[in-house]
Amino acid sequence: MQLTVWTYEGPPHIGAMRIANSMRGVHYVLHAPQGDTYADLLFTMIERNSKRPPVTYTTFQARDLGGDTAELFKSSARSAYERFKPDLLLVGASCTAELIQDDPGGLAKALALPIPVVPLELPAYQKKENWGAAETFYQIVRAVAGPLAPAPGTPKAPRRAGARPSCNILGPTSLGFRNRDDVREISRLIESLGIEVAVVAPLGASTADIARLGDADFNVVLYSEIAMQAAQFLKRSFGQPIVSIAPIGVGATRAFIAEVAKLAGVDASGVLSDAASRLPWYSRSVDSTYLTGKRVFIFGDGTHAIAAARIAKEELGFTVVGLGTYSREMAREVRDAAKLYGVEALISDDYLEVEETIAGLHPELVLGTQMERHIAKRLGVPCAVISAPVHVQDFPARYSPHMGFEGANVIFDTWVHPLMMGLEEHLLAMFREDFEFNDTAPSHLGGHASGKVAHTPGSRTESLAPADTNPLAEAAVAASADLAVIEPGAKLMATIASEIVWAAEAETELRKIPFFVRGKARRNTETYAKQQGVALITVETLYDAKAHFGR
């Protein structure tokens, strides 16, 4: 039912499709009804791939249910092998086909194909997309690399003389948030330490690459939701240590470099001293004081939500007022992180519950998925997307990583600019009636209109007066600070908007309050008016409410 509205994750077979689409030489035969091919659009329209995903659907219809759907699957699997000649075949069922219980794994085994066949048991009614991707990647690693593992107790062969230390990068996938660019940034970072990146998987990997995973000295897990299960298998089978620090933000990137260098036995001082990011510079600047204490709500997958909260608190000086995830597999980690900020974690895949939480917390910035972007837009709050699921705009053609030092620059731009541009928008709105800024004023590019003075580019008269020199601005800022405080226990009624009317002068005065707290000021004033039995809100009511909530 959730697929008819918004959903954070699809069923687990979508996760399996992500792995198949990420790799080379892998094909997925999916026992599914006609109509499940909608999933192709995720890759061709959202991720903007140049080819459809390597998936063959059986596309059975209602009339086929009275016949032999098992034979239909076998025919589809045989045709897929003959047509695509894959190196490895994944077989499984969608949530609908799961009810038929045709056993795709057993049917594919009976075909005796001359390539590895990996059956996927993905419980569609208990698990979701990220779990399906993690399980699929694990099963591929187990099937291809597992047989090459040394016998238990066998010591790892020493690195050959002159060989560089090496590692694998695990976790990036198709449809992942900025995964393509993250791999490029982190590979460059690791190689700058003198460490070889042996295999990146599943994104861009072949079955031959999977077979080489055990040769590396250690594994770097960039996205725990996808790769931790496979990394733990490799640790048990090949004795490879795991680096699980997600290098998102300057602090975490530095910690990541130190951990990688320690495992590889190399000196990281040169890389750390040359680290270039504008985010720390900005955090130390006078300008950043405008953002200190900004209230931020964060929601996404576990990896990105936890990292975003740490950056918000430690690197930008924000106040984390809410933290949550839709990834139930990482609920414990997110709850532990939330305790650090004195908030209760929101673990939910219901976007309506997330919207209700955001509305109740009144944040000044929302960091989330494309769902939170829509929610924030409705609530009039700035938002930056930090996690999948995302829309086409978050698969940019340009280089735009989220990890490493360059990723920290991208984060700096993405998070800070909405707030800074919001200040400019507020100032322009505040001075709308002034001579230079009203709608009938002449262009600042030159020319004359209505006998008014034209201003040339660069003229000092173009500058806005500082807010602290304008008594009206002082009152507006003070009002915004006080009205933004919600009295404990006060709740808004759904019928307020239909019972209360704002006078024109009160609306004008309200617009002088910065937009990022204007909604809270409006709601507080309407709450006060309802409590006082006031039907028409005037300027006096607005300031009475300010005094009431500012006590």
Side-chain angles (χ1 to χ4, degrees), residues 345-358:
L346 173 62
I347 312 299
S348 176
D349 60 0
D350 182 351
Y351 74 92
L352 293 175
E353 184 178 3
V354 177
E355 180 171 13
E356 182 180 3
T357 302
I358 294 174

Side-chain angles (χ1 to χ4, degrees), residues 21 51 97 124 193 196 203 223 232 306 349 353 355 374 428 437 439 474 482 502 513 546:
N21 194 63
K51 56 183 177 61
L193 291 166
E196 178 187 354
L203 191 64
Y223 312 99
Q232 290 171 342
I306 292 171
D349 60 0
E353 184 178 3
E355 180 171 13
H374 289 296
L428 289 173
F437 298 103
D439 293 338
E474 289 183 353
D482 292 336
W502 283 72
I513 297 173
K546 167 189 175 298

